[in-house]
mmCIF file of all heavy atoms in Angstrom:
data_model
loop_
_atom_site.group_PDB
_atom_site.id
_atom_site.type_symbol
_atom_site.label_atom_id
_atom_site.label_comp_id
_atom_site.label_asym_id
_atom_site.label_seq_id
_atom_site.Cartn_x
_atom_site.Cartn_y
_atom_site.Cartn_z
ATOM 1 N N ARG A 1267 1.195 -23.882 0.649
ATOM 2 C CA ARG A 1267 2.013 -23.133 1.612
ATOM 3 C C ARG A 1267 2.043 -21.619 1.345
ATOM 4 O O ARG A 1267 1.028 -20.975 1.475
ATOM 5 C CB ARG A 1267 3.402 -23.731 1.696
ATOM 6 C CG ARG A 1267 3.374 -25.194 2.115
ATOM 7 C CD ARG A 1267 4.493 -25.534 3.057
ATOM 8 N NE ARG A 1267 4.402 -26.941 3.429
ATOM 9 C CZ ARG A 1267 3.837 -27.369 4.557
ATOM 10 N NH1 ARG A 1267 3.317 -26.522 5.395
ATOM 11 N NH2 ARG A 1267 3.792 -28.655 4.832
ATOM 12 N N ASP A 1268 3.210 -21.066 0.959
ATOM 13 C CA ASP A 1268 3.344 -19.612 0.805
ATOM 14 C C ASP A 1268 2.380 -19.025 -0.218
ATOM 15 O O ASP A 1268 2.065 -17.834 -0.166
ATOM 16 C CB ASP A 1268 4.778 -19.238 0.405
ATOM 17 C CG ASP A 1268 5.778 -19.381 1.534
ATOM 18 O OD1 ASP A 1268 5.375 -19.594 2.703
ATOM 19 O OD2 ASP A 1268 6.999 -19.280 1.250
ATOM 20 N N ASP A 1269 1.876 -19.848 -1.137
ATOM 21 C CA ASP A 1269 0.944 -19.334 -2.136
ATOM 22 C C ASP A 1269 -0.365 -18.880 -1.501
ATOM 23 O O ASP A 1269 -1.131 -18.149 -2.115
ATOM 24 C CB ASP A 1269 0.666 -20.398 -3.207
ATOM 25 C CG ASP A 1269 -0.006 -19.802 -4.434
ATOM 26 O OD1 ASP A 1269 0.413 -18.706 -4.877
ATOM 27 O OD2 ASP A 1269 -0.961 -20.411 -4.942
ATOM 28 N N GLY A 1270 -0.622 -19.261 -0.280
ATOM 29 C CA GLY A 1270 -1.822 -18.821 0.419
ATOM 30 C C GLY A 1270 -1.726 -17.409 0.981
ATOM 31 O O GLY A 1270 -2.681 -16.909 1.584
ATOM 32 N N ALA A 1271 -0.603 -16.735 0.775
ATOM 33 C CA ALA A 1271 -0.379 -15.399 1.359
ATOM 34 C C ALA A 1271 -1.453 -14.387 0.971
ATOM 35 O O ALA A 1271 -1.912 -13.613 1.809
ATOM 36 C CB ALA A 1271 1.004 -14.880 0.964
ATOM 37 N N GLY A 1272 -1.868 -14.361 -0.275
ATOM 38 C CA GLY A 1272 -2.878 -13.398 -0.712
ATOM 39 C C GLY A 1272 -4.218 -13.613 -0.037
ATOM 40 O O GLY A 1272 -4.898 -12.656 0.347
ATOM 41 N N LEU A 1273 -4.598 -14.880 0.124
ATOM 42 C CA LEU A 1273 -5.861 -15.195 0.807
ATOM 43 C C LEU A 1273 -5.784 -14.812 2.280
ATOM 44 O O LEU A 1273 -6.731 -14.226 2.836
ATOM 45 C CB LEU A 1273 -6.182 -16.681 0.674
ATOM 46 C CG LEU A 1273 -6.327 -17.220 -0.746
ATOM 47 C CD1 LEU A 1273 -6.525 -18.729 -0.723
ATOM 48 C CD2 LEU A 1273 -7.457 -16.525 -1.470
ATOM 49 N N LEU A 1274 -4.654 -15.123 2.907
ATOM 50 C CA LEU A 1274 -4.454 -14.789 4.311
ATOM 51 C C LEU A 1274 -4.489 -13.273 4.512
ATOM 52 O O LEU A 1274 -5.107 -12.766 5.449
ATOM 53 C CB LEU A 1274 -3.113 -15.368 4.787
ATOM 54 C CG LEU A 1274 -2.757 -15.214 6.252
ATOM 55 C CD1 LEU A 1274 -3.816 -15.854 7.155
ATOM 56 C CD2 LEU A 1274 -1.384 -15.845 6.510
ATOM 57 N N ALA A 1275 -3.853 -12.542 3.593
ATOM 58 C CA ALA A 1275 -3.855 -11.074 3.682
ATOM 59 C C ALA A 1275 -5.267 -10.514 3.536
ATOM 60 O O ALA A 1275 -5.656 -9.594 4.267
ATOM 61 C CB ALA A 1275 -2.925 -10.489 2.621
ATOM 62 N N ALA A 1276 -6.052 -11.061 2.630
ATOM 63 C CA ALA A 1276 -7.433 -10.597 2.457
ATOM 64 C C ALA A 1276 -8.252 -10.835 3.722
ATOM 65 O O ALA A 1276 -9.028 -9.974 4.147
ATOM 66 C CB ALA A 1276 -8.078 -11.303 1.258
ATOM 67 N N GLN A 1277 -8.058 -11.989 4.358
ATOM 68 C CA GLN A 1277 -8.784 -12.290 5.594
ATOM 69 C C GLN A 1277 -8.388 -11.325 6.708
ATOM 70 O O GLN A 1277 -9.247 -10.815 7.439
ATOM 71 C CB GLN A 1277 -8.515 -13.731 6.016
ATOM 72 C CG GLN A 1277 -9.098 -14.750 5.067
ATOM 73 C CD GLN A 1277 -8.508 -16.139 5.244
ATOM 74 O OE1 GLN A 1277 -7.690 -16.390 6.123
ATOM 75 N NE2 GLN A 1277 -8.911 -17.058 4.379
ATOM 76 N N ARG A 1278 -7.084 -11.077 6.847
ATOM 77 C CA ARG A 1278 -6.622 -10.157 7.899
ATOM 78 C C ARG A 1278 -7.088 -8.737 7.624
ATOM 79 O O ARG A 1278 -7.458 -8.008 8.551
ATOM 80 C CB ARG A 1278 -5.097 -10.213 8.021
ATOM 81 C CG ARG A 1278 -4.626 -11.510 8.646
ATOM 82 C CD ARG A 1278 -3.127 -11.547 8.795
ATOM 83 N NE ARG A 1278 -2.707 -12.865 9.278
ATOM 84 C CZ ARG A 1278 -1.447 -13.261 9.356
ATOM 85 N NH1 ARG A 1278 -0.469 -12.441 8.995
ATOM 86 N NH2 ARG A 1278 -1.155 -14.460 9.793
ATOM 87 N N LEU A 1279 -7.061 -8.329 6.360
ATOM 88 C CA LEU A 1279 -7.526 -6.989 6.010
ATOM 89 C C LEU A 1279 -9.007 -6.845 6.327
ATOM 90 O O LEU A 1279 -9.433 -5.843 6.915
ATOM 91 C CB LEU A 1279 -7.261 -6.704 4.534
ATOM 92 C CG LEU A 1279 -7.749 -5.340 4.060
ATOM 93 C CD1 LEU A 1279 -6.941 -4.221 4.709
ATOM 94 C CD2 LEU A 1279 -7.675 -5.242 2.544
ATOM 95 N N ARG A 1280 -9.805 -7.836 5.956
ATOM 96 C CA ARG A 1280 -11.248 -7.789 6.214
ATOM 97 C C ARG A 1280 -11.519 -7.616 7.712
ATOM 98 O O ARG A 1280 -12.362 -6.811 8.112
ATOM 99 C CB ARG A 1280 -11.906 -9.068 5.691
ATOM 100 C CG ARG A 1280 -13.419 -9.027 5.747
ATOM 101 C CD ARG A 1280 -14.049 -10.306 5.206
ATOM 102 N NE ARG A 1280 -13.861 -10.434 3.772
ATOM 103 C CZ ARG A 1280 -13.168 -11.412 3.188
ATOM 104 N NH1 ARG A 1280 -12.601 -12.365 3.908
ATOM 105 N NH2 ARG A 1280 -13.048 -11.474 1.885
ATOM 106 N N ALA A 1281 -10.790 -8.336 8.539
ATOM 107 C CA ALA A 1281 -10.969 -8.233 9.989
ATOM 108 C C ALA A 1281 -10.613 -6.839 10.487
ATOM 109 O O ALA A 1281 -11.315 -6.278 11.334
ATOM 110 C CB ALA A 1281 -10.120 -9.286 10.701
ATOM 111 N N ARG A 1282 -9.553 -6.270 9.971
ATOM 112 C CA ARG A 1282 -9.133 -4.936 10.411
ATOM 113 C C ARG A 1282 -10.032 -3.838 9.857
ATOM 114 O O ARG A 1282 -10.231 -2.815 10.503
ATOM 115 C CB ARG A 1282 -7.675 -4.695 10.035
ATOM 116 C CG ARG A 1282 -6.763 -5.602 10.881
ATOM 117 C CD ARG A 1282 -5.320 -5.371 10.657
ATOM 118 N NE ARG A 1282 -4.915 -4.025 11.019
ATOM 119 C CZ ARG A 1282 -3.727 -3.518 10.718
ATOM 120 N NH1 ARG A 1282 -2.835 -4.243 10.066
ATOM 121 N NH2 ARG A 1282 -3.421 -2.293 11.071
ATOM 122 N N LEU A 1283 -10.591 -4.044 8.683
ATOM 123 C CA LEU A 1283 -11.493 -3.047 8.097
ATOM 124 C C LEU A 1283 -12.790 -2.924 8.874
ATOM 125 O O LEU A 1283 -13.474 -1.905 8.786
ATOM 126 C CB LEU A 1283 -11.802 -3.387 6.636
ATOM 127 C CG LEU A 1283 -10.739 -3.010 5.629
ATOM 128 C CD1 LEU A 1283 -11.048 -3.645 4.279
ATOM 129 C CD2 LEU A 1283 -10.617 -1.498 5.501
ATOM 130 N N ALA A 1284 -13.140 -3.944 9.627
ATOM 131 C CA ALA A 1284 -14.367 -3.911 10.416
ATOM 132 C C ALA A 1284 -14.358 -2.745 11.400
ATOM 133 O O ALA A 1284 -15.411 -2.288 11.839
ATOM 134 C CB ALA A 1284 -14.555 -5.234 11.158
ATOM 135 N N ARG A 1285 -13.161 -2.231 11.713
ATOM 136 C CA ARG A 1285 -13.039 -1.107 12.659
ATOM 137 C C ARG A 1285 -12.963 0.245 11.955
ATOM 138 O O ARG A 1285 -12.767 1.265 12.594
ATOM 139 C CB ARG A 1285 -11.795 -1.303 13.515
ATOM 140 C CG ARG A 1285 -11.843 -2.570 14.341
ATOM 141 C CD ARG A 1285 -10.646 -2.672 15.243
ATOM 142 N NE ARG A 1285 -9.399 -2.793 14.506
ATOM 143 C CZ ARG A 1285 -8.605 -3.854 14.519
ATOM 144 N NH1 ARG A 1285 -8.937 -4.898 15.227
ATOM 145 N NH2 ARG A 1285 -7.491 -3.872 13.835
ATOM 146 N N HIS A 1286 -13.104 0.258 10.633
ATOM 147 C CA HIS A 1286 -12.998 1.495 9.856
ATOM 148 C C HIS A 1286 -14.265 1.694 9.041
ATOM 149 O O HIS A 1286 -15.013 0.766 8.795
ATOM 150 C CB HIS A 1286 -11.791 1.438 8.907
ATOM 151 C CG HIS A 1286 -10.479 1.389 9.618
ATOM 152 N ND1 HIS A 1286 -9.848 2.514 10.065
ATOM 153 C CD2 HIS A 1286 -9.691 0.350 9.968
ATOM 154 C CE1 HIS A 1286 -8.716 2.176 10.658
ATOM 155 N NE2 HIS A 1286 -8.596 0.862 10.616
ATOM 156 N N SER A 1287 -14.464 2.922 8.582
ATOM 157 C CA SER A 1287 -15.646 3.211 7.775
ATOM 158 C C SER A 1287 -15.320 3.275 6.286
ATOM 159 O O SER A 1287 -16.146 3.705 5.501
ATOM 160 C CB SER A 1287 -16.268 4.533 8.225
ATOM 161 O OG SER A 1287 -15.336 5.587 8.046
ATOM 162 N N ALA A 1288 -14.135 2.851 5.883
ATOM 163 C CA ALA A 1288 -13.737 2.908 4.480
ATOM 164 C C ALA A 1288 -14.629 2.007 3.627
ATOM 165 O O ALA A 1288 -15.004 0.912 4.039
ATOM 166 C CB ALA A 1288 -12.275 2.478 4.326
ATOM 167 N N ALA A 1289 -14.965 2.493 2.438
ATOM 168 C CA ALA A 1289 -15.759 1.713 1.496
ATOM 169 C C ALA A 1289 -14.819 0.811 0.712
ATOM 170 O O ALA A 1289 -14.199 1.231 -0.258
ATOM 171 C CB ALA A 1289 -16.531 2.639 0.564
ATOM 172 N N VAL A 1290 -14.700 -0.417 1.174
ATOM 173 C CA VAL A 1290 -13.783 -1.379 0.559
ATOM 174 C C VAL A 1290 -14.495 -2.716 0.426
ATOM 175 O O VAL A 1290 -15.105 -3.204 1.370
ATOM 176 C CB VAL A 1290 -12.501 -1.556 1.407
ATOM 177 C CG1 VAL A 1290 -11.555 -2.545 0.742
ATOM 178 C CG2 VAL A 1290 -11.808 -0.228 1.653
#
Side-chain angles (χ1 to χ4, degrees):
R1267 301 219 179 262
D1268 287 350
D1269 194 43
L1273 301 175
L1274 184 58
Q1277 293 163 3
R1278 288 181 186 172
L1279 178 67
R1280 188 179 291 117
R1282 291 184 62 191
L1283 280 169
R1285 299 184 296 245
H1286 295 276
S1287 61
V1290 181

